Every structure is written in structure tokens, then in C-alpha cells.
Amino acid sequence: EDQVTQSPEALRLQEGESSSLNCSYTVSGLRGLFWYRQDPGKGPEFLFTLYSAGEEKEKERLKATLTKKESFLHITAPKPEDSATYLCAVQTGGGADGLTFGKGTHLIIQP
Amino acid sequence: DVKVTQSSRYLVKRTGEKVFLECVQDMDHENMFWYRQDPGLGLRLIYFSYDVKMKEKGDIPEGYSVSREKKERFSLILESASTNQTSMYLCASSLFGLYGQYFGPGTRLTVL
């Protein structure tokens, strides 16, 4: 059974204090790893897809990296508007299979 | 931009009622999905569809059915709602299998 574990469950940072969120996975054949941002009461917002170990993607203050066992979401000099829950998900099927999600990291950036 | 819309943001139903949740996407995506999200359990896949009239069970299909008569529309049906189906329901679509899934705003369903 595919498993996705995110850590920490919650993280409180000061504005400008960089950090990383972790997503470790145990799957039988990773096809893609996805990062989402979710604000309270809203649907997840797609951020990145990573397909192979060594791959990196960036968007504004966020950078996602992938190894064979885990992915990191690095947040550089965060701002209060980066506060959200960040979700990691994996896809192991090649077709239209759904995603297996981790439980998320709740990130709070204090001014 | 991809837009996925869901018919209701909030819904309150009684135990035993038949409930329809509708989802529409406007980007001609092949694949559509229904998830539910619960505190402490995260998002879990209920059903998905990779083509019109095609459907596949996800991880927790019991008590649910789906319908996809048109490419842009995917419906989730609770045949006889129960209190343990109180949850946030999220619809998503994707162009093809390994492309990112785009989510709607969600429907918060309460079953009394």
C-alpha cells in the first residue's frame, strides 16, 4: 500500500525565516509527486509536479526537490501570505489513477 | 486558467436522503476525480473517471456512485446519506494521467 508521510504536522516561522517541509513516501513505482497549497475552506491549489529523482522546480519563494525516498518543499524568506496547509501527493499508476495524499503541513508565518 | 466548479459550497441533508454533488470543468480535461477530506485523515479518493461513461473505484467507494454523461461534468451520488458521510467533498480534473490535478472549491456536506 502506498504511504505518504509529511513532517512536521505544523510549523510556525517568523517572516523571513527560511525552512523546509518534508514529504517521505513508500510506493511501488513512483510516476509523479505533486505539491499543493490549501487555504482554509478552499480546494487545494496545484503548485508543482516532480517526476524523477534529482528534479527541482521553483515558483517565487518555493522550491521543490525530489529524491528516491522523499521530497522537500523549501520556503525562502517567507511572508505572512505563504501561511497555508501544504499537501504532498504521489501517483503510481500511469493512467488516470487518483493521487495518494499526505496529511499536510500547516504552516504559519508570523509578521 | 483551469476552472473547476462545484454546484454547492454548503449542503445540509437528512439521513437516508439521496444526494447529488455536481462538478463541471471548462478545460476539456480527460480525467475527473472525487475526493473527500476529513480532519486527521486527509484527502481520500472516492471515484475517478478517465472518459465519458467510464468510472473506476478509488480507495473508499462504499456508499457512493458516480455518473459521467458528458466530458465536462462528473457527478457524485450518495444513494442514502448517512452521518458518517458528513465531510468536505472535492472534485478535481486533469488533462492526462501524469499532469497535475486541478481542484474545485469543495462542497461541505452535513448529514443530520
Side-chain angles (χ1 to χ4, degrees), chain A residues 62-104:
Chain A
L62 300 176
K63 183 168 87 171
T65 62
L66 181 65
T67 73
K68 289 186 178 179
K69 294 183 178 180
E70 58 192 348
S71 177
F72 292 94
L73 184 65
H74 307 278
I75 302 177
T76 302
K79 299 181 178 181
E81 53 262 41
D82 294 322
S83 298
T85 296
Y86 290 85
L87 300 169
C88 168
V90 298
Q91 185 169 28
T92 55
D97 292 350
L99 302 177
T100 299
F101 280 84
K103 294 181 181 177

Side-chain angles (χ1 to χ4, degrees), chain A residues 36 38 41 51 91 95 99, chain B residues 9 33 35 37 40 97-98 101:
Chain A
Y36 287 85
Q38 187 174 26
Y51 295 107
Q91 185 169 28
L99 302 177
Chain B
R9 292 302 308 274
F33 308 83
Y35 294 86
Q37 186 174 31
L98 290 180
Q101 293 182 15

Side-chain angles (χ1 to χ4, degrees), chain A residues 5-7 10 12 16 55 59 63 75 82 87 92 99 106:
Chain A
T5 304
Q6 291 188 247
S7 62
R12 189 182 297 265
E55 191 174 359
K59 180 180 180 179
K63 183 168 87 171
I75 302 177
D82 294 322
L87 300 169
T92 55
L99 302 177
H106 182 50

Side-chain angles (χ1 to χ4, degrees), chain A residues 31-53:
Chain A
R31 300 300 300 272
L33 185 141
F34 302 81
W35 281 99
Y36 287 85
R37 169 195 170 123
Q38 187 174 26
D39 294 301
K42 297 187 177 181
E45 174 190 347
F46 173 68
L47 294 173
F48 304 110
T49 307
L50 302 166
Y51 295 107
S52 58

Side-chain angles (χ1 to χ4, degrees), chain B residues 50-86:
Chain B
Y50 53 89
D51 200 353
V52 175
K53 297 189 184 296
M54 305 304 290
K55 60 187 179 184
E56 293 284 345
K57 293 180 180 179
D59 299 320
I60 51 165
E62 297 78 19
Y64 304 94
S65 62
V66 291
S67 173
R68 194 171 181 197
E69 295 296 319
K70 294 184 178 181
K71 189 175 185 179
E72 68 271 18
R73 188 178 299 269
F74 193 35
S75 302
L76 180 69
I77 303 156
L78 287 66
E79 295 289 343
S80 178
S82 63
T83 55
N84 62 13
Q85 293 178 310
T86 291

